């Protein structure tokens, strides 16, 4: 019997968009359909990747050059793909990932101003054409997200950025969604959580059905 490749789902969004609040909900939807799910995050997902995450989010290297930040994101991603994502997909498991390469376009491209073409070169090199099958973009006004996130613990190295940075991040995400309509679904994340989850369910259930049909 040939094993069908699993599917790769990513969840993206700006500060306080509610990724953490909704990832468990998405995992439950998948598992209820009998799908084996590997749940992971970026930067991180492997032992080495989590060490890189600490370097990226911590305050030890404040003033890190933007190129260094981008390269570290892709170093963690290369490890993540090689050690966790590709093996899981090849075993037929589905991978649900909290952020992926769209975040590099949004934060390092839009936020830090790195040329998109250079990010694309790294994407091609590290991913060799591999892209998510579905990306949920939790979108909300920047200030709403910052107000939500502000109620939490100490800010990390990204969370200390100014509003203009996060406006560029949001604009880049929306642009990516417009450029990749078959992969992206935009979820209005400014509404109360049950309404966000209703929208997610409307996207994820038909996606699961379509994929199981494709595998028949
Ligand atoms: N990064 C990058 O620059 N380049 C890359 O390539 C990658 C990442 C992969 C990783 O942080 C950082 O790395 C990130 C981008 C950068 N920058 N930052 N900051 P992360 O993804 O781990 O952290 P985060 O973006 O800050 O996510 P978070 O802290 O997990 O936030 P969230 O998951 O989106 O939100 P939440 O914790 O679920 O919700 C925030 C609060 O709002 C919480 O109190 C909830 O109870 C509340 N909430 C959630 N939904 C609602 C609704 N609908 N109504 C009301 N209140 C709500």
């Amino acid at each position: 019997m040939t094993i069908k490749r699993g599917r790769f789902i990513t969840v993206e969004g700006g500060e306080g968009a509610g990724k953490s609040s909704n990832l468990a909900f998405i995992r439950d939807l998948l598992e209820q359909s009998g799908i084996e799910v590997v749940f992971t995050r970026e930067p991180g997902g492997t032992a080495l990747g989590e060490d890189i995450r600490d370097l990226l989010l911590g305050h030890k290297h404040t003033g890190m050059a933007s190129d260094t930040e981008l390269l570290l994101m892709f170093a963690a991603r290369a490890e993540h793909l090689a050690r966790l994502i590709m093996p899981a997909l090849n075993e037929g498991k589905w991978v649900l990932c909290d952020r992926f390469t769209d975040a590099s376009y949004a934060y390092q491209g839009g936020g830090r101003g790195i040329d998109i073409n250079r990010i694309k070169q790294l994407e091609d090199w590290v991913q060799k054409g591999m892209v998510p099958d579905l990306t949920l973009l939790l979108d909300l006004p920047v200030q709403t997200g910052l107000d939500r996130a502000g109620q939490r613990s100490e800010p990390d190295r990204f969370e200390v950025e100014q509003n203009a940075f996060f406006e560029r991040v949001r604009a880049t995400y929306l642009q990516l969604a417009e450029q990749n309509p078959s992969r992206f679904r935009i979820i209005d994340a400014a509404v109360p959580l049950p309404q966000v989850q209703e929208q997610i369910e409307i996207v994820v259930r038909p996606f699961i059905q379509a994929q199981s049909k494709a595998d028949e």
Side-chain angles (χ1 to χ4, degrees):
M1 192 188 77
T2 45
I3 296 174
K4 306 284 184 192
R5 179 186 172 278
R7 302 301 194 275
F8 184 32
I9 300 179
T10 57
V11 180
E12 301 279 356
E15 299 315 289
K19 289 180 296 88
S20 309
S21 309
N22 288 296
L23 279 157
F25 177 76
I26 299 169
R27 178 164 55 181
D28 286 349
L29 285 178
L30 297 174
E31 287 179 347
Q32 281 161 20
S33 300
I35 294 166
E36 194 175 343
V37 186
V38 173
F39 180 58
T40 186
R41 68 173 180 180
E42 288 213 349
T46 63
L48 176 52
E50 290 294 324
D51 283 351
I52 296 175
R53 180 186 178 92
D54 289 343
L55 293 173
L56 281 162
L57 299 195
H59 292 282
K60 187 174 172 195
H61 302 290
T62 308
M64 181 186 295
S66 299
D67 281 355
T68 311
E69 186 178 284
L70 176 69
L71 289 165
L72 284 173
M73 291 293 176
F74 272 95
R77 186 161 297 134
E79 187 73 5
H80 200 194
L81 282 162
R83 306 244 175 256
L84 191 142
I85 297 175
M86 294 313 297
L89 293 175
N90 290 334
E91 285 168 18
K93 295 171 189 158
W94 287 36
V95 177
L96 175 60
C97 192
D98 183 349
R99 296 195 187 279
F100 193 61
T101 303
D102 297 306
S104 299
Y105 283 103
Y107 284 81
Q108 282 67 55
R112 304 276 190 231
I114 296 181
D115 183 348
I116 295 294
N117 293 317
R118 295 177 63 202
I119 303 177
K120 178 82 174 79
Q121 282 179 348
L122 288 173
E123 179 182 14
D124 291 346
W125 184 42
V126 168
Q127 293 168 224
K128 303 172 188 73
M130 192 277 200
V131 290
D133 297 292
L134 174 67
T135 298
L136 299 176
L137 172 58
L138 303 185
D139 178 62
L140 80 176
V142 168
Q143 195 54 53
T144 311
L146 290 176
D147 290 345
R148 283 184 192 169
Q151 293 162 15
R152 294 178 316 187
S153 55
E154 210 196 322
D156 64 35
R157 208 176 52 82
F158 289 93
E159 288 164 348
V160 296
E161 289 296 335
Q162 303 300 310
N163 275 30
F165 176 91
F166 295 114
E167 291 291 357
R168 294 195 298 276
V169 168
R170 183 185 187 203
T172 308
Y173 268 135
L174 289 171
Q175 216 178 335
L176 288 165
E178 201 181 315
Q179 289 163 352
N180 301 278
S182 60
R183 172 165 70 86
F184 268 89
R185 294 292 177 273
I186 300 177
I187 304 294
D188 177 5
V191 296
L193 194 57
Q195 289 173 33
V196 175
Q197 294 183 339
E198 259 172 46
Q199 297 172 66
I200 290 175
E201 203 167 343
I202 286 171
V203 169
V204 173
R205 283 205 191 279
F207 179 79
I208 295 170
Q209 279 167 10
Q211 300 310 310
S212 50
K213 269 224 169 103
D215 282 347
E216 277 170 13

